Amino acid sequence: MKESIAKLEETQTLTKDEWTVLLSHRTDALTEELFERACKVRIQHYGKDVYIRGLIEFTNYCRNDCYYCGIRRSNRNVSRYRLNSEEILSCCHEGYKLGFRTFVLQGGEDPWFTDQRMTHLIATIKQQYPDCAITLSIGEKEEDSYRLFREAGADRYLLRHETFNSTHYRSLHPQELSASHRQQCLFTLRELGFQVGSGFMVGSPGQTPEHLAEDMLFLKNLNPHMVGIGPFVPHHDTPFAQEKAGSLELTLYLLALLRLMLPKALLPATTALGALSENGQQLGILAGANVIMPNLSPLENRASYSLYDNKPNTGTQAAENLAQLRSKMEQIGYQIVTDRGDSLVH
Ligand code: 5AD
């Protein structure tokens, strides 16, 4: 085990068997050493800066029906909303004043936002904020659509692969969705010149150490600019309402392993980490993460964009939330910076 961690740090890779062992036999002593190494590597590449991304949840309409997700199509208890351009631009305006230089447009797969509407929106934001990066997180699209978004000025795209294993993928999603199509989208995005973020949920129902080993190997192969992982957190209005949440400890352990495998990748301490524990995001940073994604969405819509239960900060203004995060980061010796925070991965 100890040898595997040393090998990982040295060669940035492991075999599937080595991953499986490492992921099924976590010990506290091992974890502590791992976090130390991960922090060192992170500081070597990114110092103690923490990059921020302004998250704008602009629509919670979704044509998909993923079994874990609170905004799945079949959930009739969500009040659906979409922000208009003016509202989205006002989120950007507020975010810019606060020091955000990346805006993440995240939404369900909402057919109302046609390619034409999306490209218009992207171009407008880019024109008003030429020094900012635009990240999209709007799911699986045709290659032509991705190309149009890129040409309109989008810089980055977040699309978690969710789980590499196709059988496991099938157990989390309806039949019309497939692991292979999802993965294909990621390679396409990368080829089109997007900085790409992938990732997976930790502790999703039915997940085994072998599945996680496959996720690590897939990420190694994709070599994304960013990897977002967070614990699965059940949502009360989904088929997985009664399932157990993923563990904070395993998520942190995986974050540190990701830091050693992909030293230059951006790793967010995700909101779902914050859903499990008050200091979840601080612990994420201490395990090797270097990005946080505070919410810029209008307060009145926050609660309706609930992918899982216990979503933090649904009632906190962006400014107040950022101030809190700033002090939380300072408490552990890190600082939030005003920067586009591009990935060092090429
Ligand atoms: N728990 C944790 N993460 C979730 N996501 C969706 N539903 C849940 C849930 N119940 C994650 C998915 C998706 C991202 C936007 O949110 O991984 O890619």
Side-chain angles (χ1 to χ4, degrees):
M1 300 269 288
K2 241 185 138 115
E3 301 76 61
S4 291
I5 290 181
K7 177 183 169 193
L8 175 63
E9 190 173 358
E10 210 178 297
T11 65
Q12 283 102 58
T13 186
L14 290 179
T15 64
K16 183 171 173 192
D17 283 347
E18 287 167 332
W19 276 123
T20 306
V21 173
L22 209 50
L23 291 165
S24 35
H25 302 281
R26 186 166 39 90
T27 67
D28 288 348
L30 194 68
T31 304
E32 201 165 309
E33 186 185 327
L34 178 64
F35 287 180
E36 238 168 71
R37 291 186 190 225
C39 272
K40 233 191 238 160
V41 171
R42 170 243 152 90
I43 289 167
Q44 194 183 321
H45 296 292
Y46 288 105
K48 290 195 151 190
D49 290 351
V50 175
Y51 299 135
I52 49 171
R53 319 304 199 196
L55 184 65
I56 304 170
E57 300 156 330
F58 70 103
T59 172
N60 71 352
Y61 284 86
C62 192
R63 63 182 174 134
N64 289 332
D65 217 16
C66 309
Y67 305 150
Y68 46 83
C69 184
I71 61 167
R72 65 200 300 268
R73 169 183 80 216
S74 303
N75 185 3
R76 304 268 167 254
N77 297 328
V78 191
S79 83
R80 303 282 171 175
Y81 72 89
R82 39 178 87 89
L83 304 184
N84 60 34
S85 307
E86 206 177 305
E87 291 167 316
I88 295 171
L89 286 164
S90 119
C91 296
C92 296
H93 179 74
E94 192 190 350
Y96 193 88
K97 278 193 302 188
L98 292 170
F100 288 90
R101 294 298 177 265
T102 295
F103 302 121
V104 182
L105 298 177
Q106 186 177 90
E109 291 193 14
D110 178 358
W112 190 88
F113 283 96
T114 57
D115 290 353
Q116 204 191 352
R117 287 183 170 131
M118 275 318 296
T119 48
H120 186 256
L121 177 63
I122 294 162
T124 309
I125 298 176
K126 203 66 184 181
Q127 190 192 7
Q128 294 192 16
Y129 302 96
D131 56 334
C132 292
I134 298 179
T135 305
L136 302 178
S137 179
I138 52 176
E140 297 178 33
K141 305 270 176 187
E142 297 297 326
E143 174 168 353
D144 287 344
S145 308
Y146 286 150
R147 186 175 297 105
L148 290 172
F149 301 159
R150 181 82 189 108
E151 286 166 2
D155 304 277
R156 307 180 183 144
Y157 206 102
L158 305 182
L159 184 74
R160 292 186 175 177
H161 70 278
E162 310 295 359
T163 179
F164 174 81
N165 183 279
S166 55
T167 311
H168 187 226
Y169 196 94
R170 275 264 126 79
S171 71
L172 303 179
H173 302 93
Q175 295 308 297
E176 61 269 22
L177 296 174
S178 76
S180 63
H181 187 259
R182 190 103 181 154
Q183 293 155 19
Q184 191 47 54
C185 285
L186 282 158
F187 286 103
T188 302
L189 286 161
R190 214 182 190 301
E191 242 160 64
L192 289 169
F194 282 96
Q195 294 173 39
V196 169
S198 189
F200 55 90
M201 282 179 290
V202 178
S204 57
Q207 187 179 63
T208 64
E210 285 80 10
H211 293 149
L212 289 170
E214 293 176 38
D215 289 324
M216 297 306 265
L217 294 174
F218 169 72
L219 289 169
K220 184 68 199 172
N221 181 30
L222 175 67
N223 189 28
H225 301 81
M226 173 150 155
V227 180
I229 65 165
F232 159 74
V233 182
H235 183 289
H236 61 279
D237 277 327
T238 63
F240 289 164
Q242 304 305 325
E243 300 287 340
K244 249 182 45 213
S247 97
L248 177 68
E249 290 76 19
L250 182 58
T251 308
L252 298 170
Y253 185 71
L254 279 156
L255 266 176
L257 291 170
L258 281 165
R259 174 57 70 206
L260 295 188
M261 180 176 81
L262 302 168
K264 294 183 178 176
L266 296 166
L267 296 178
T270 52
T271 315
L273 264 182
L276 288 195
S277 153
E278 176 108 29
N279 56 2
Q281 287 182 299
Q282 281 175 317
L283 295 173
I285 298 293
L286 292 171
N290 65 332
V291 174
I292 40 183
M293 300 174 62
N295 205 321
L296 292 179
S297 311
L299 272 187
E300 62 266 33
N301 302 115
R302 297 264 186 98
S304 303
Y305 197 88
S306 63
L307 310 184
Y308 45 80
D309 291 340
N310 300 321
K311 180 188 180 193
N313 298 312
T314 47
T316 323
Q317 296 283 1
E320 186 186 337
N321 182 215
L322 184 63
Q324 281 170 3
L325 283 167
R326 201 164 257 135
S327 94
K328 281 191 168 184
M329 293 300 116
E330 280 164 12
Q331 276 168 25
I332 57 169
Y334 288 75
Q335 68 270 342
I336 286 180
V337 294
T338 294
D339 194 296
R340 269 178 56 122
D342 285 298
S343 179
L344 297 172
V345 174
H346 286 293

